[in-house]
Amino acid sequence: MRIDTDNLLESILENLSKMSHVKTEDIPNIELYMDQVTTFMDKELRGTARNPEEDKVLTKTMINNYAKNKLLPAPNKKKYSKDHILMLTFIYYFKGFLSISDIQSILDPLSERYFGKTEGKNLEEIYNQVFRMEKQQMEAIKEDIQQKFELAKKNAEGEKEEDAAFMELFSFIALLSFDVYIKKMLIEKMIDDFQEKKEEK
């Protein structure tokens, strides 16, 4: 069976163009109960799930565990604020490749300094700054994926026809995986260094 890697790349790039994050202006300015939070997050992030028809973006159990483990500040009388939604969004993206303890290491200072703050720089402002950077990087990410794809195609040249498509796909996955592996190592190293300096203080 031939694997259509050209269509695969086209599909990936098309999905990247459609990718969107939770926009602060879409978050209700009133506090929400748990059911309202899970419904909102599901609606906003459904498109990022691997199996959108089956996967739950966030469950009540997940949110309760985040609060219990102090990854997420406790709700106010069972109600969640806009800042809770922002923190949950960060957690949602980080949990795909970082451990809970690593996420806690980088979100604790954010929460301590900016959660619930009404004067000066606040969590919403930081959130918007971060996602503006992500948007600016999207074209560079697409270009990097395209280059890796071309390199994978070149690596499969000379293979028998029935093997070439698989080798192309495998090489592409290996290149992308190596990129993720290196970046994950870098992130973990930065978190370890940050924690070490924090403990020294």
Side-chain angles (χ1 to χ4, degrees), residues 98-136:
L98 288 178
S99 68
I100 292 298
S101 62
D102 279 345
I103 297 171
Q104 190 164 16
S105 294
I106 53 175
L107 288 189
D108 270 359
L110 196 70
S111 181
E112 286 165 14
R113 294 172 196 174
Y114 304 106
F115 189 90
K117 198 172 175 187
T118 53
E119 292 180 6
K121 198 164 196 173
N122 59 26
L123 194 57
E124 183 174 343
E125 193 178 334
I126 290 167
Y127 178 91
N128 285 328
Q129 282 179 323
V130 167
F131 279 98
R132 268 198 300 274
M133 287 192 301
E134 295 288 325
K135 193 175 179 182
Q136 289 165 2

Side-chain angles (χ1 to χ4, degrees), residues 6 15 38 42 56 84 102 127-128 162 176 179 183 189:
D6 288 300
N15 284 337
T38 54
D42 193 65
K56 288 278 186 188
H84 280 107
D102 279 345
Y127 178 91
N128 285 328
E162 60 269 24
L176 291 170
D179 189 59
K183 286 174 181 171
K189 173 68 177 152

Side-chain angles (χ1 to χ4, degrees), residues 31-45:
E31 292 187 323
L32 304 174
Y33 285 107
M34 175 75 84
D35 284 341
Q36 294 170 308
V37 171
T38 54
T39 301
F40 174 80
M41 295 295 279
D42 193 65
K43 181 173 81 70
E44 294 295 315
L45 294 170

